[in-house]
Amino acid sequence: MTTAAATSDSVVGKLSFIDRLLPVWIFAAMALGIGLGRAFPDLGARLDTVKLDTVSLPIALGLLWMMYPVLAKVRYGELGRLRSRGRLFGVSLLLNWVVGPLLMFALAWMLLPDLPHYRTGLILIGLARCIAMVLVWNMLACGSNELAAVLVALNSVFQILFYSVLGWFFITVVPGWLGAEGTAFDVSMWSIAKSVLIFLGVPLVAGALTRIGLTRLKGEAWYETKFLPRLAPTALLGLLYTIVLMFAMQGEKITRLPLDVVRISLPLLLYFILMFASAFFLSRKLGFSYEETASLSFTAAGNNFELAIAVAVGVFGMASGEALAGVVGPLIEVPALIALVYLSLWLRRRLFPEAESTLLPRRFSDSKQAPTQERA
């Protein structure tokens, strides 16, 4: 077997059956939702009968559940290790909270100048930093699992603190500076903050309490090897459930405007490629090891689509273009990030020859660990 073939088998083999076919499940959920919408045209009105804030209760339950397993996975105790890795911490902050949002903002405005709803949806995605699925991509690319865990915990905290501020800034303030008041949305910071507090804050508290309580009761090993493997797949069920209901309301728009889905996909694909490349080569230039470079790059390239969908639904409504942009995101992210795993391993052989000697033992060790199945 050639080296390239062995690498391909290694990457695909480490993905769970569910993760390997994630785009298929999402497409199936979309098709089911469109079918339900055609069969029951009044389904949207029924869903809006009972609401949590501005979101129908059935949708809100799905949004909350798909976030809870993701946040129960985060190792919040790892935040205490940041002081010993201040330089890495600073680079991660720059990439995740300055470069990433600015890049998505620029791509959305350049490629969707005539579609403000989708553009805003993409901006919300750019602000939602990856906090879960990045652990899978990092593991497949043989990055530093410890550093990835720390950065995931850090992003979780920063999203609570800054997501609403940055959302208000990029959606309402910056367009005004560009002289585009006519296409800017009148969205208050409180509107976004309220959605973040509900759909990120509530599952964040629940996830943290679950980890603290069960690790004290049963131990860290039991929590990681017994509890999480059972809880993790339910995050995907929550996502698919939410997609079914959202597409039941958006199905007519999607079948009528398939080109819009293609146009949403293009800036997303460019974002993943450009964000990964800039993070990888910046980290390389700063002299970081391959393991550190891979962790920083995948953390910077990934996004928390669950949060972006939740905020879009909470602020703009389930049938909005902003929500549709969030739903399209995972369809592009999964195949794009898998391709970037292959690219990262190829770059390791070319740019980090000192690390290549440890590649096979590291893969063998990692292959014995079941990959996390939740997303973001």
Side-chain angles (χ1 to χ4, degrees):
M1 181 180 295
T2 66
T3 302
T7 300
S8 175
D9 290 344
S10 175
V11 170
V12 175
K14 289 179 190 175
L15 279 175
S16 70
F17 176 74
I18 293 176
D19 287 332
R20 209 176 303 166
L21 298 179
L22 186 56
V24 175
W25 311 137
I26 294 176
F27 272 118
M30 291 165 60
L32 177 58
I34 292 172
L36 286 175
R38 290 181 177 275
F40 305 97
D42 61 341
L43 182 60
R46 295 183 183 181
L47 292 174
D48 279 335
T49 303
V50 182
K51 293 187 176 183
L52 175 61
D53 189 41
T54 60
V55 182
S56 68
L57 185 60
I59 295 292
L61 293 175
L63 294 171
L64 289 169
W65 187 261
M66 71 185 185
M67 291 296 295
Y68 164 65
V70 169
L71 293 164
K73 174 70 174 69
V74 175
R75 298 174 181 175
Y76 300 96
E78 301 285 350
L79 285 171
R81 303 185 184 184
L82 283 174
R83 284 178 293 183
S84 63
R85 311 184 96 165
R87 195 163 173 236
L88 288 166
F89 166 69
V91 172
S92 179
L93 278 181
L94 174 67
L95 291 169
N96 279 281
W97 298 101
V98 178
V99 177
L102 285 173
L103 177 60
M104 186 68 88
F105 180 88
L107 289 171
W109 273 88
M110 285 191 298
L111 298 175
L112 300 174
D114 57 328
L115 297 171
H117 300 285
Y118 301 149
R119 186 173 65 229
T120 297
L122 289 178
I123 291 171
L124 291 175
I125 292 172
L127 297 174
R129 313 313 301 166
C130 192
I131 60 173
M133 194 66 179
V134 66
L135 298 175
V136 174
W137 310 131
N138 178 74
M139 180 271 293
L140 293 176
C142 301
S144 168
N145 294 327
E146 178 194 57
L147 178 60
V150 172
L151 296 180
V152 161
L154 179 67
N155 278 340
S156 300
V157 174
F158 263 68
Q159 282 183 121
I160 284 288
L161 297 176
F162 296 113
Y163 189 89
S164 58
V165 177
L166 291 174
W168 169 78
F169 178 74
F170 278 104
I171 293 173
T172 65
V173 177
V174 178
W177 292 351
L178 298 175
E181 293 89 349
T183 57
F185 287 97
D186 182 17
V187 180
S188 70
M189 190 164 61
W190 170 240
S191 297
I192 298 177
K194 186 166 55 174
S195 292
V196 173
L197 288 172
I198 293 173
F199 296 111
L200 180 59
V202 171
L204 176 66
V205 171
L209 291 177
T210 299
R211 173 173 279 278
I212 293 170
L214 289 182
T215 52
R216 287 180 178 176
L217 184 66
K218 294 282 193 175
E220 186 77 21
W222 178 89
Y223 187 84
E224 293 285 344
T225 61
K226 300 295 184 182
F227 179 73
L228 282 181
R230 290 181 173 86
L231 178 67
T234 66
L236 176 60
L237 295 179
L239 175 63
L240 295 178
Y241 162 83
T242 304
I243 290 174
V244 168
L245 295 186
M246 290 177 64
F247 273 76
M249 295 188 68
Q250 299 223 36
E252 188 275 333
K253 181 192 299 185
I254 294 167
T255 55
R256 182 167 47 88
L257 301 170
L259 183 60
D260 287 12
V261 176
V262 175
R263 292 192 62 185
I264 293 170
S265 302
L266 180 58
L268 282 168
L269 182 60
L270 289 174
Y271 171 84
F272 293 131
I273 295 171
L274 294 174
M275 198 65 205
F276 178 86
S278 60
F280 197 98
F281 289 105
L282 173 62
S283 301
R284 167 67 173 169
K285 190 169 184 63
L286 291 173
F288 296 144
S289 68
Y290 170 78
E291 289 76 12
E292 294 167 336
T293 296
S295 297
L296 286 167
S297 301
F298 282 101
T299 304
N303 292 92
N304 182 354
F305 287 100
E306 289 86 348
L307 175 61
I309 292 171
V311 173
V313 171
V315 176
F316 300 102
M318 184 169 63
S320 65
E322 292 84 356
L324 175 60
V327 171
V328 172
L331 292 172
I332 309 303
E333 183 195 42
V334 174
L337 269 293
I338 290 176
L340 290 176
V341 169
Y342 294 137
L343 175 62
S344 183
L345 293 173
W346 182 83
L347 289 172
R348 173 176 175 152
R349 294 194 297 273
R350 299 299 186 273
L351 302 180
F352 297 87
E354 71 281 0
E356 185 63 17
S357 60
T358 65
L359 182 59
L360 291 177
R362 179 69 176 276
R363 285 181 190 159
F364 180 76
S365 174
D366 285 344
S367 67
K368 294 182 179 181
Q369 302 174 11
T372 307
Q373 293 177 349
E374 72 264 23
R375 308 192 64 263

